[in-house]
């Protein structure tokens, strides 16, 4: 049992995976000698070889497209895209090839690939380094989308992603890469894809969130009056997502607030809100409230905290939903 | 040295069998023997017959869009013969049918595919072919990746060939595939069928470069321009490239200069944008004519054999069409079943009910038992 | 006044625009001599010149990126992407450049560009020729997204799009390009972006839809019993979208069905459903029902009608929603 | 002709002012006069001072990530002088500050930009520069498009220059921009600052080609490799390219061979991946040293002038920082206001309430008057 940060848990999980399965190959920009710009792959090239932890040319479509080819040929490829903003050039390969290959060939050709991508705002980075595109990929059939926010979950879900026979996007909330440590078992374990986590149980209102926003939600809940009891759900798996856990919770509490960094319109919050209405209609005591990023471009860092769904905004959402 | 030359490159053109059926014996050495020539001719002729019948099927409304291969068949057969079935992979576009057949793809599957059925891409085990690819210029990266896996696993005597058109070389992913392949030095052969047109766009407006082959210079990749209607030149260039590939010499580029004698697809009308004179001129350079002239000149072919072949081709393609047509219709929910190795619960519900409405997925919400009943009751 | 098909209205609108404004330039694959694969630009190159209706290399990112450059320099560019599936390679330019340029430069550099894209299924086309990506772009701040379904609306909205000083994606539902004709005024007129159209008024239930699905909805409504009165809304403008008209309608009817071709999860239907709940909570008599494409890849054409939200499925949705 | 050469190309290298400050007089003819040399030297020195102070600001936590230009300044100033301010456009990456300053960008704006404020890219009217571009290799297409507009409008004496790194040439959009520019024959100059590294990736792993310049051969685009630390060679190559551009000769490519003497950005630690010996060797080829040696050798520079310049540079950059720091903070809702020319109603509501929850946008839903009140009441 080691005490690890989120990024530390990712590094050691990748290390174990590389050691356990010779068919795993990692590829990306600066992931080798430099250990990745976030040091998520620190030391892995030195340990596992230049041909297994591969520094690639600066070309996301090339990374994604060759990772697909590697996977077609039976390798388990783990491409890293340096920041979520640079998924842009890789979008076509991801959505129009990786996501479609199995169904296009009715199972004859498959793409077992785990795309690692740091995601989200809050680290004072330049443009295109702070976005949250998860709902784009939730809307794109054929890829699974994960976003753990704790070291323990990161390890378990990354193991599940790598084992998964289909393409998985593994979003890593960079804002919490190093903010805290927790105990992470040394041995291999998995957390099932598609299962949410009930972080704390409650009776009055359900909060659903994921990624770095989880910690904003915790802060908001902390500053609620003692007698308010909130059920907090970490979605973790964006697609497929665990509607059963959410519906069960909201059927009990009657109220729901969803918080996420991505823009409001057509965000994952919209889907969850629509489903909550569909599945808990007769139990709902207030409309589901969405505390989300605005329908604007994520601003450069001087104003990023105005954009992000920080604790005060989540608190407002909760209190108003309770007041309805 | 203030002003000096730091790099030089040139592009060679190769032709072995000319338009009149004349063979350059010296260059032909160690390429095709006459049995092989006959075999390739037969493959081309059968493929041509398939084009014809597919065209008729489409015109009679029994099939969707279909892209004819007519005029370009030498590129497919010459290169496919130089590759090793079972060892190598083919990452195709959609205009090299004969290459796919030669590497084990059942012929009826291509028809099934163009009839709008994904099962036409469900190639049998051991057939190392990725699906036909409609998004132009984006599939070559997979050839780079598959070849990379071969290198990584130290697979012996294996390489990948990928086909694409002149138009495809304009896409960013062409550049990406070429750069990755050359940096990683993987055994990929990039085969460009330069048929002078990308739907209505002539090659001169597609690129400013005099040749397609010179695009490989950007990557210091061995490159050659061949007469793509000459099975000898195509075979030789591919053979050389494959030898280099399996010996660790990295990727190669081949530009096959050819011409599409038919419309772009059955949805296209090339007379809107092409000069009939240009088509006529190229019709004379048809690879089938040229190969036949050669075979006759060396005495391995005659009118009788030709007649037999035509009858045989006719029979084969009719059978192919019959097979394609008699494949049982897919299950209506077939498109759900291969989304993932294991279908998520919610998707299963969508499939089992063929509904997305919440009540449709959970008819108990309005006190119903099954979606079918719900309709009957309310409509 | 001419009687025109949808595609005919688009051709003549482009013709008039080219004649009226020398700064307009159209660019795309096969749009010149060939008149576009749908003949939407038929005759325009012959009339307005090879330098104004430009056949480009086969490269969507190149088309989009140079169209951005042209617009930055003060031209009004009208790129055509041949099929919506081929927006993939152009995604990065569209979402990460066109959509961000104004806000990135606080108004100093702008991109007045109208991206024309045939959209949707139902024409028995090959793979990647039948998708509906509108919600991807509704979720991407900085672009407007339109999808008219009648010749009259096509002209008015296309004029508004071209006049608009910001990037607009103009989706053309290819399935109804030539299915019917209607009277289209010869003179210039605009239909405001962001306004929905109430196609027919009703009391019992609201149907919201757009694109080719409109005609499936009409068919479904036609086969309802005489005494059921449905209000049918054509969204037309996907972003910004006219929530006021929808909310007013659902506040009146208490029931809502949304129909669209795009996959269910995180589709535009999710956003509208969430908003309907948020804004009409106390008036809702049933959960909003979404009749959408499935969360699968749009199948090749043999099964495309199983995928599409055809009239019978919409009818089911309506009847069940009424029964709730 | 069965086997023959159909295309040939070569890459020339140009150096006029060598590492020791020696000028090749013949090649230098019609390039820079001594006043210009002094001017460019000053520009480089001031830019270097800005780097230094920005670095300190970042280290003391008063600024975010900043990419130093150190060592590469000759590329920026030599090329910028060959372009015509007001007529031409610059489509920059992020490592050519001096070029932007020379073309009218207020110096404090680059600091404002890296301090995380979009208003740093709100260049004044008449400054023809697109914003600094973080997404690598994707902006050059805009240079092609802007130049296309110039051609279309028959603007006289105008061209576009775009800057990018060696790493950027791997992106698909590099290929796209080069192909469109050459097919459309527009007046774009592609200037690649080949500084040998893309963060931690050395050029040899970025590409398999011996030079970057040869990538232009794929497009039959005039191309040259120059010593990028030699202001004469840079100036001359850009001048030639611009002349060709405005005379209708289409686009050109320039590879400036240079070296980044600092870390990639202030967020990077180059000692993790670079041999200090390599850095030392390149430090000796610093363009500032070389230019100063030349100026001293022809008697237009001395220690006193150097001292004065250093003091002046110091003063200028301090003032620049002060200006940047004293810009009033942006409105908290600034990022809403430029989303569109006219903000849609719903977005206005989001801005005015700084909320996305429905109750937040419509507090009357719970009987409240304003969002502020709602919080006070419930919290
Ligand atoms: C990414 C993409 N863009 C556009 C199209 C539409 N399209 C289909 S074939 C074609 C022309 C292809 O030309 P080329 O690559 O030369 O191949 P050819 O058809 O001549 O064999 C185009 C533009 C497409 N299928 N994919
Ligand atoms: C599309 C994209 N991918 C990745 C990055 C991360 N990144 C920033 S700079 C850089 C290296 C750029 O190298 P080069 O083009 O040679 O320019 P240089 O920094 O050397 O001037 C990388 C990988 C990015 N900004 N954009
Ligand atoms: Mg072609
Ligand atoms: Mg570099």
């Amino acid at each position: 049992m080691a005490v690890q940060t989120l990024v530390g848990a990712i590094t050691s999980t990748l290390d174990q995976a590389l050691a356990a399965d010779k068919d795993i190959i990692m590829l990306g920009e600066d992931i080798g000698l430099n250990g990745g710009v976030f040091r998520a792959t620190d030391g892995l090239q030195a340990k596992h070889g230049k041909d297994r932890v591969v520094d690639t040319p600066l070309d996301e479509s090339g990374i994604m497209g060759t990772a697909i080819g590697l996977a077609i040929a039976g390798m388990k490829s783990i491409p890293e895209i340096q920041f979520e903003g640079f998924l842009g050039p890789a979008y076509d390969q991801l959505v129009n090839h990786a996501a479609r290959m199995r169904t296009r060939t009715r199972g004859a050709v498959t793409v077992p690939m785990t795309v690692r991508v740091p995601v989200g705002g809050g680290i004072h980075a330049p443009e295109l380094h702070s976005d949250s595109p998860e709902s784009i990929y939730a809307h794109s059939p054929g890829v699974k989308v994960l976003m753990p926010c704790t070291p323990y979950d990161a390890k378990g879900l990354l193991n599940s992603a790598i084992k998964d026979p289909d393409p998985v996007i593994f979003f890593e909330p960079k804002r919490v890469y190093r903010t805290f440590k927790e105990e992470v078992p040394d041995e291999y374990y998995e957390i099932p894809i598609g299962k949410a986590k009930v972080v704390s149980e409650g009776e009055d209102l359900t909060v659903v969130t994921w990624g770095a926003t989880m910690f904003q939600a915790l802060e908001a809940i902390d500053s609620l009056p003692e007698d308010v009891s909130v059920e907090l759900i970490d979605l973790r798996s964006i697609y497929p997502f665990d509607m059963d856990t959410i519906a069960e919770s909201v059927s009990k509490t009657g109220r729901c607030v969803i918080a996420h960094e991505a823009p409001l319109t057509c965000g994952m919050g919209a889907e969850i809100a629509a489903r909550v209405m569909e599945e808990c209609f007769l139990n709902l005591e207030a409309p589901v409230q969405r505390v989300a990023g605005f329908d604007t471009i994520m601003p450069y860092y001087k104003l990023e905290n105005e954009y992000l769904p920080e604790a005060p905004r989540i608190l407002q959402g909760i209190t108003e939903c309770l007041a309805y | 040295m203030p002003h000096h030359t730091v790099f030089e490159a040139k592009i060679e053109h190769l032709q072995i069998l000319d338009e009149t059926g004349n063979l350059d014996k010296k260059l032909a050495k160690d390429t095709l023997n006459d049995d092989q020539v006959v075999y390739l001719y037969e493959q081309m002729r059968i493929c041509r017959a398939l084009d014809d019948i597919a065209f008729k099927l489409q015109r009679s409304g029994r099939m969707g869009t279909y892209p004819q291969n007519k005029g370009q068949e030498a590129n497919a057969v010459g290169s496919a013969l130089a590759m090793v079935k079972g060892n190598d992979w083919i990452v195709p576009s959609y205009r090299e049918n004969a290459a796919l057949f030669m590497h084990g793809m059942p012929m009826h599957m291509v028809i099934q595919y163009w009839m709008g059925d994904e099962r036409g891409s469900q190639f049998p085990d051991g057939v190392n072919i990725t699906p036909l690819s409609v998004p132009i210029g984006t599939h070559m990266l997979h050839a780079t990746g598959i070849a990379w896996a071969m290198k990584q696993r130290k697979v012996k005597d294996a390489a990948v060939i990928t086909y694409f058109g002149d138009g495809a070389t304009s896409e960013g992913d062409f550049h990406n595939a070429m750069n990755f392949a050359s940096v990683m030095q993987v055994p990929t052969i990039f085969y460009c069928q330069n048929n002078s047109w990308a739907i209505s766009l002539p090659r001169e407006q597609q690129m400013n470069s005099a040749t397609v082959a010179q695009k490989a210079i950007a990557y210091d990749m061995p490159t050659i321009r061949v007469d793509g209607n000459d099975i000898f030149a195509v075979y030789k260039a591919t053979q050389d490239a494959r030898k280099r590939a399996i010996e660790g010499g990295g990727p190669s580029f081949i530009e096959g200069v050819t011409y599409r004698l038919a419309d772009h697809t059955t949805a296209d009308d090339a007379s809107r944008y092409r000069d009939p004179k240009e088509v006529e001129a190229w019709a004379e350079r048809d690879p089938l004519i040229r190969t036949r002239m050669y075979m006759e000149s060396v005495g391995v072919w005659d009118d009788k054999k030709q007649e037999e072949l035509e009858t045989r081709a006719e029979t084969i393609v009719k059978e192919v069409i019959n097979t394609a047509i008699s494949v049982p219709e897919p299950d209506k929910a077939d498109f759900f079943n291969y989304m993932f190795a294991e279908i998520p619960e919610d998707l299963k519900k969508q499939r089992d009910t063929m509904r997305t409405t919440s009540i449709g997925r959970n008819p108990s919400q309005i006190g119903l038992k099954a979606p079918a009943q719900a309709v009957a009751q309310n409509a």
Side-chain angles (χ1 to χ4, degrees), chain A, chain B:
Chain A
M1 205 74 137
V3 171
Q4 289 184 315
T5 59
L6 184 84
V7 71
I10 288 166
T11 311
S12 64
T13 307
L14 292 170
D15 184 19
Q16 290 178 356
L18 283 161
D21 184 351
K22 288 288 161 226
D23 278 337
I24 288 177
I25 181 167
M26 287 170 46
L27 58 159
E29 295 158 9
D30 306 294
I31 68 168
L33 193 52
N34 200 33
V37 293
F38 289 105
R39 308 288 177 256
T41 55
D42 203 15
L44 299 183
Q45 187 182 67
K47 186 162 167 192
H48 300 280
K50 280 197 171 181
D51 58 337
R52 299 198 61 208
V53 180
V54 186
D55 280 318
T56 66
L58 204 179
D59 171 14
E60 291 75 16
S61 192
I63 293 168
M64 195 68 75
T66 54
I68 292 171
L70 284 159
I72 288 174
M75 306 285 293
K76 289 201 137 271
S77 60
I78 311 186
E80 172 183 302
I81 300 296
Q82 206 163 70
F83 286 86
E84 75 294 312
F86 311 134
L87 275 171
Y91 175 83
D92 191 54
Q93 283 294 332
L94 184 48
V95 163
N96 288 338
H97 278 297
R100 293 177 195 239
M101 199 58 85
R102 178 187 290 274
T103 197
R104 228 173 139 195
T105 62
R106 292 298 186 253
V109 181
T110 60
V111 183
M113 167 175 87
T114 299
V115 187
R116 290 185 41 250
V117 196
V119 77
I123 65 156
H124 277 207
E127 62 169 334
L128 283 167
H129 286 64
S130 306
D131 286 352
S132 294
E134 69 269 18
S135 86
I136 299 285
Y137 300 100
H139 184 63
S140 302
V143 277
K144 296 179 180 171
V145 184
L146 309 178
M147 199 191 295
C149 71
T150 67
Y152 181 88
D153 284 359
K155 175 164 182 175
L157 280 168
L158 184 52
N159 278 331
S160 296
I162 294 171
K163 191 176 171 190
D164 199 280
D166 288 303
V168 178
I169 308 179
F170 187 82
F171 281 121
E172 303 171 1
K174 57 179 98 91
R175 189 183 191 177
V176 293
Y177 258 153
R178 296 171 201 283
T179 47
F180 73 103
K181 294 185 176 189
E182 69 178 7
E183 300 238 310
V184 177
D186 295 331
E187 61 275 16
Y188 179 91
Y189 63 95
E190 293 169 20
I191 291 177
I193 293 174
K195 289 276 165 264
K197 178 166 72 178
V198 179
V199 177
S200 64
E201 299 196 4
E203 303 298 325
D204 302 328
L205 181 143
T206 304
V207 172
V208 182
T209 186
W210 54 90
T213 308
M214 176 58 52
F215 303 94
Q216 301 299 320
L218 280 167
E219 204 182 311
I221 293 168
D222 259 3
S223 53
L224 279 169
E226 283 281 312
D227 60 335
V228 180
S229 144
V230 171
E231 185 140 311
L232 178 61
I233 296 176
D234 178 359
L235 195 63
R236 298 194 296 200
S237 189
I238 313 293
Y239 187 87
F241 64 105
D242 186 355
M243 200 52 220
D244 288 349
T245 296
I246 297 170
E248 198 178 309
S249 174
V250 182
S251 296
K252 172 178 71 177
T253 63
R255 295 173 198 270
C256 180
V257 170
I258 306 162
H260 61 68
E261 291 188 23
L264 179 74
T265 296
C266 290
M268 193 61 198
E271 183 60 33
I272 296 171
R275 298 261 184 148
V276 164
M277 167 176 51
E278 289 168 15
E279 304 198 9
C280 316
F281 189 70
L282 300 175
N283 299 305
L284 268 183
E285 289 172 43
V288 177
Q289 298 294 299
R290 293 180 287 161
V291 184
F294 296 105
D295 288 326
T296 68
I297 300 299
M298 166 54 123
Y300 295 0
Y301 70 78
K302 205 175 261 288
L303 295 177
E304 72 174 329
N305 289 82
E306 306 301 327
Y307 172 93
L308 290 168
E310 299 290 85
R313 274 176 63 204
I314 299 175
L315 180 61
Q316 277 189 320
I318 294 173
T319 50
E320 289 171 4
C321 187
L322 287 168
Y324 191 93
Chain B
M1 285 194 296
H3 201 173
H4 63 284
T5 300
V6 285
F7 176 81
E8 278 178 295
K10 59 183 180 178
I11 301 297
E12 302 287 314
H13 180 277
L14 179 67
Q15 186 193 57
I16 301 179
L17 178 69
D18 76 10
E19 289 83 350
T20 62
N22 258 325
L23 191 73
D24 184 311
K25 295 241 173 61
K26 220 169 106 197
L27 290 172
K29 197 168 162 289
D30 294 329
T31 60
L32 301 169
N33 63 37
D34 287 343
D35 284 351
Q36 289 173 314
V37 173
V38 169
Y39 170 67
L40 295 189
Y41 181 72
E42 290 170 347
Q43 294 305 309
M44 293 198 286
R45 187 60 193 78
I46 294 165
C47 187
R48 184 74 57 96
L50 189 70
D51 262 12
D52 289 344
I53 201 163
F55 180 81
K56 282 182 205 136
L57 267 181
Q58 192 278 338
R59 283 299 188 264
S60 65
R62 282 179 292 165
M63 182 158 141
T65 306
Y66 175 87
Q68 293 191 56
N69 292 206
K70 191 175 176 182
Q72 305 185 200
E73 297 92 339
N75 297 276
V77 299
S79 58
L81 190 69
M83 303 301 290
V84 176
K85 186 175 159 184
N87 289 20
D88 295 345
W89 272 81
I90 299 186
V91 178
S93 173
Y94 50 75
R95 222 185 279 285
E96 45 276 324
N97 284 348
L100 311 186
F101 303 151
M102 286 168 65
H103 278 254
M105 172 179 166
M107 282 180 76
H108 74 277
M109 293 185 83
V110 81
I111 299 296
Q112 200 184 349
Y113 172 83
W114 292 113
M115 283 182 163
D117 187 345
E118 287 89 344
R119 294 174 304 166
S121 298
Q122 195 184 33
F123 305 145
D125 261 9
V127 174
N128 297 338
I129 306 178
T130 57
L132 276 71
S133 187
V134 158
I136 301 294
T138 62
H139 58 291
M140 296 92 94
L141 270 168
H142 310 157
T144 300
I146 294 170
W148 185 351
M150 289 169 173
K151 185 181 178 188
Q152 185 80 353
R153 291 171 152 175
K154 302 191 173 57
V155 183
K156 291 233 175 333
D157 193 25
V160 182
I161 189 166
T162 180
Y163 297 95
F164 49 92
D166 44 314
T169 67
S170 290
E171 290 282 357
D173 273 352
F174 163 74
H175 173 69
N176 301 332
M178 296 283 285
N179 190 47
F180 263 72
S182 65
V183 166
M184 303 298 168
Q185 286 290 298
V186 300
T188 308
I189 301 166
F190 292 90
Y191 196 106
C192 178
Q193 293 203 52
N194 171 11
N195 65 4
S196 269
W197 292 90
I199 309 188
S200 71
L201 198 74
R203 198 200 60 82
E204 304 76 47
Q205 281 174 256
Q206 188 73 247
M207 60 194 78
N208 185 51
S209 51
T211 67
V212 183
Q214 81 201 61
K215 297 196 184 198
I217 296 173
Y219 318 94
D220 272 7
M221 191 190 290
T223 178
I224 190 169
R225 177 178 242 217
V226 305
D227 181 335
N229 289 0
D230 164 3
I231 49 173
F232 288 86
V234 170
Y235 178 77
K236 167 91 172 102
T238 313
Q239 196 185 32
D240 289 351
R242 187 176 187 282
K243 186 158 183 292
R244 189 159 43 236
I246 62 172
E247 287 172 356
S252 302
F253 188 89
I254 302 170
E255 171 188 2
V257 179
T258 185
Y259 196 81
R260 129 169 97 72
L261 289 173
D263 293 333
H264 169 67
T265 65
T266 48
D268 177 54
D269 172 8
S271 73
R272 288 176 70 93
Y273 53 79
R274 278 206 311 204
D275 187 343
K277 284 204 203 91
E278 182 184 290
V279 185
E280 276 159 37
W282 274 96
E284 285 169 19
R285 301 168 69 185
D286 186 329
L288 271 71
I289 298 177
R290 186 187 308 195
T291 310
R292 181 172 169 187
M293 285 196 289
Y294 167 76
M295 293 190 302
E296 285 174 350
S297 77
V298 296
V300 296
W301 200 255
D302 54 28
D303 286 356
K304 187 160 156 274
K305 286 195 170 149
Q306 179 69 20
E307 217 169 280
E308 278 168 16
L309 172 60
E310 281 172 18
T311 314
R312 183 152 68 91
E314 210 60 22
T315 315
I316 289 173
V317 302
K318 274 197 187 135
E319 211 167 283
V320 161
I321 299 295
N322 283 337
T323 311
I325 288 176
S326 61
V327 170
E329 286 296 298
D331 187 278
K332 291 213 179 309
D334 196 45
F335 61 93
F336 284 94
N337 294 331
Y338 301 90
M339 282 302 301
F340 298 99
E342 203 181 312
I343 312 298
E345 278 312 311
D346 187 62
L347 198 54
K348 246 183 225 159
K349 224 178 217 180
Q350 290 184 19
R351 178 191 64 190
D352 295 345
T353 61
M354 290 303 272
R355 311 287 297 280
T356 58
T357 50
S358 61
I359 298 172
R361 293 192 308 264
N362 304 297
S364 63
Q365 277 187 284
I366 52 169
L368 291 178
K369 278 196 193 118
Q373 260 179 283
V375 185
Q377 210 161 313
N378 292 288

